[in-house]
């Protein structure tokens, strides 16, 4: 077994690569070349990226694509998407174009409340704690004022702090459940700093005036933000759904609605259905420098808020009108964090017209809805593989290091032949004979 290494983080980048080569690659210089060829020649830019995380050895590319023609609340957007899955951007672009011709997307932010909690235990009398909290609450807020004053000046800050009794679920467990308005910031640092200050005040004041033992367990924001909600929708008359893949719009609408209903009642399908939504959401969240893990965790928790995992989108057909919508929690920022550091994030945000956090919530929700529309449209009409394999063709060709001329010929060939991995391999081999 490989020996553990100590002090790895103190090594220089070159020393780290040396250690990796020696330990795992038999000092193979071609592996060094592989890793170092991803360095940016602009040293300042490279340093910026190196310092985003600890122990950086190189850059890991993801394609940044764009999906144009998104009409959202009467404004046209070109949406940036960072994603590796071959069909996602194409599907988004198709859905954008389809709905552009049918009035576009509508989106609204329903609420913007973020949440953080101080988790603590208290072994004394419940009543004493309740009284203590009533007296200490204003001090919790005032002690945090050095942290909150700038946010307050801009119109945000702490909205409220509640004491929550959780002792029925866990012995002696209570929490300060705090709500925040963080405006255009995602707010993680702001919220966590406030919470740590609340915890300090709580502990100090409890030592002075509470009999029972109060112990702080931890202070952290919650990524479950059911009151930071956005809704996106599309609607049109059933007959207007018609296009080349939808010769019978009435039958299509019914089948589409049925597909959504299946995801509403069947968790196995709901997970895949929502995964498709997240294809669109994560790609925009990542391209705009936001935390896609936080978004994923919060969105999936929301999908099970009523005790059973279900679809995030819904569909109705009323009075000859088709309506398809999505409602999700999204805690996003357009200032601070990576948004002001990563040059491509700045580029992406500028492309979106320097959106506020609210605008970005709408754009991201629309990207999710569009993605789900595209997936369900394919699944209920032509099937998904036709489009997927066409996109996958290029990946297979690249695996075989096809030349530009081979690519052109094979793309032409597969316009009329079914793409399967073996069919592509066979066609390349035949061509190369
Ligand atoms: C693939 O990444 C996403 C889909 O599976 C989504 C869906 O099934 O709705 C196509």
């Amino acid at each position: 077994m490989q020996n553990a290494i100590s002090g790895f983080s103190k090594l220089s980048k070159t020393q780290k690569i040396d250690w990796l080569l020696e330990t795992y690659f038999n000092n193979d210089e071609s592996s060094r070349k592989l890793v170092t060829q991803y360095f940016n020649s602009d040293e300042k830019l490279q340093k910026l990226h190196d310092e985003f995380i600890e122990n950086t050895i190189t850059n890991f590319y993801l394609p940044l694509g764009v999906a144009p023609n998104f009409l959202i609340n009467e404004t046209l957007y070109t949406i940036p998407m960072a994603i590796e899955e071959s069909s996602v951007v194409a599907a988004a672009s198709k859905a954008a174009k389809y709905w552009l011709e049918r009035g576009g997307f509508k989106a609204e932010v329903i609420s913007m409340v973020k949440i953080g909690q101080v988790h603590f235990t208290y072994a004394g009398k419940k009543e004493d704690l309740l009284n203590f909290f009533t007296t200490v609450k204003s001090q919790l807020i005032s002690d945090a004022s050095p942290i909150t004053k700038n946010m307050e000046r801009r119109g945000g800050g702490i909205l409220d702090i509640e004491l929550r009794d959780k002792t029925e679920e866990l012995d002696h467990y209570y929490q300060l459940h705090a709500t925040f308005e963080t405006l255009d910031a995602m707010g993680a640092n702001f919220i966590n700093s406030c919470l740590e200050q609340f915890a300090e005040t709580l502990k100090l004041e409890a030592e002075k005036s509470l009999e029972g033992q109060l112990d702080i367990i931890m202070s952290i924001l919650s990524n479950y933000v059911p009151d930071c909600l956005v809704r996106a929708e599309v609607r049109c008359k059933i007959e207007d759904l018609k296009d080349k893949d939808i010769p019978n719009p009435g039958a299509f609408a019914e089948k589409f609605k049925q597909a959504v209903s299946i995801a509403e009642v069947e968790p196995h399908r709901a997970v895949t259905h929502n995964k498709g939504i997240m294809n669109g959401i994560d790609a925009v969240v990542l391209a705009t420098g936001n935390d896609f893990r936080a978004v994923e965790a919060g969105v999936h928790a929301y999908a099970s808020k009523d005790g059973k995992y279900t679809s995030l989108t819904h569909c109705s057909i009323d009075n000859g009108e088709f309506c398809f919508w999505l409602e999700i929690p999204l805690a996003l920022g357009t200032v601070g964090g990576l948004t002001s550091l990563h040059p491509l994030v700045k580029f992406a945000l500028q492309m979106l017209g320097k959106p506020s956090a609210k605008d970005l919530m709408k754009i991201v929700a629309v990207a999710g809805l569009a993605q789900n529309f595209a997936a369900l449209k394919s699944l209920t009409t032509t099937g998904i593989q036709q489009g997927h394999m066409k996109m996958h063709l290029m990946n297979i060709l690249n695996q075989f290091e096809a030349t530009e001329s081979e690519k052109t010929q094979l793309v032409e060939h597969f316009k009329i032949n079914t793409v399967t991995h073996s069919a592509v391999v066979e066609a390349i081999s035949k061509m190369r004979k």
Side-chain angles (χ1 to χ4, degrees), residues 148-359:
T148 57
K149 65 176 189 295
N150 280 340
M151 187 65 88
E152 277 167 9
R153 203 176 307 131
R154 287 183 270 128
I158 302 161
L159 298 176
D160 195 16
I161 310 176
E162 273 174 49
L163 172 68
R164 292 196 172 173
D165 177 356
K166 295 279 175 183
T167 51
E168 299 230 319
E169 285 141 88
L170 196 62
D171 284 349
H172 310 308
Y173 170 37
Y174 295 86
Q175 49 177 238
L176 294 183
H177 182 96
T179 46
F180 302 86
E181 162 65 78
T182 63
L183 305 167
D184 286 333
M186 191 269 190
N189 280 332
F190 171 75
I191 294 173
N192 288 333
S193 301
C194 287
L195 294 171
E196 288 187 6
Q197 180 58 56
F198 297 163
E200 202 175 311
T201 303
L202 189 72
K203 180 79 186 151
L204 279 175
E205 294 307 311
E207 273 163 13
K208 282 191 223 155
S209 56
L210 261 184
E211 267 189 20
Q213 175 77 16
L214 185 152
D215 285 314
I216 304 292
I217 308 297
M218 59 189 162
S219 311
I220 187 73
L221 95 170
S222 171
N223 290 124
Y224 184 44
V225 281
D227 290 317
C228 191
L229 262 195
V230 56
R231 179 189 154 103
E233 70 163 44
V234 284
R235 60 170 72 232
C236 72
K237 290 208 197 90
I238 303 268
E239 63 262 30
D240 294 343
L241 288 167
K242 193 168 184 158
D243 82 345
K244 71 171 179 19
D245 299 322
I246 306 175
N248 182 344
F252 168 78
E254 287 299 338
K255 204 168 170 190
F256 188 99
K257 183 167 175 278
Q258 193 66 13
V260 176
S261 302
I262 290 170
E264 283 169 340
V265 301
E266 215 291 298
H268 280 90
R269 173 56 202 151
V271 170
T272 317
H273 177 98
N274 291 345
K275 186 275 182 188
I277 296 172
M278 301 314 287
N279 277 344
I281 291 185
D282 283 346
V284 191
V285 168
L286 196 56
T288 56
N290 277 278
D291 180 345
F292 64 91
R293 287 85 56 210
V295 167
E296 281 276 348
V299 166
H300 293 295
Y302 191 74
S304 24
K305 71 178 186 333
D306 298 321
K308 182 178 167 190
Y309 191 89
T310 184
S311 169
L312 293 160
T313 53
H314 306 282
C315 180
S316 68
I317 300 173
D318 286 317
N319 303 321
E321 194 178 49
F322 170 88
C323 180
F324 178 52
W325 73 97
L326 163 84
E327 196 183 88
I328 46 164
L330 283 176
L332 300 176
T334 54
V335 297
L338 217 55
T339 60
S340 42
L341 279 178
H342 197 303
L344 283 175
V345 168
K346 286 196 221 166
F347 174 85
L349 288 170
Q350 182 161 348
M351 190 158 72
L352 293 173
K354 303 203 172 144
S356 63
K358 268 189 180 169
D359 293 335

Side-chain angles (χ1 to χ4, degrees), residues 85 88 269 272-273 275-277 279 372 375-376 379 384 388:
E85 192 175 325
V88 169
R269 173 56 202 151
T272 317
H273 177 98
K275 186 275 182 188
I277 296 172
N279 277 344
N372 190 223
L376 294 183
L379 286 168
I384 207 88
H388 261 213

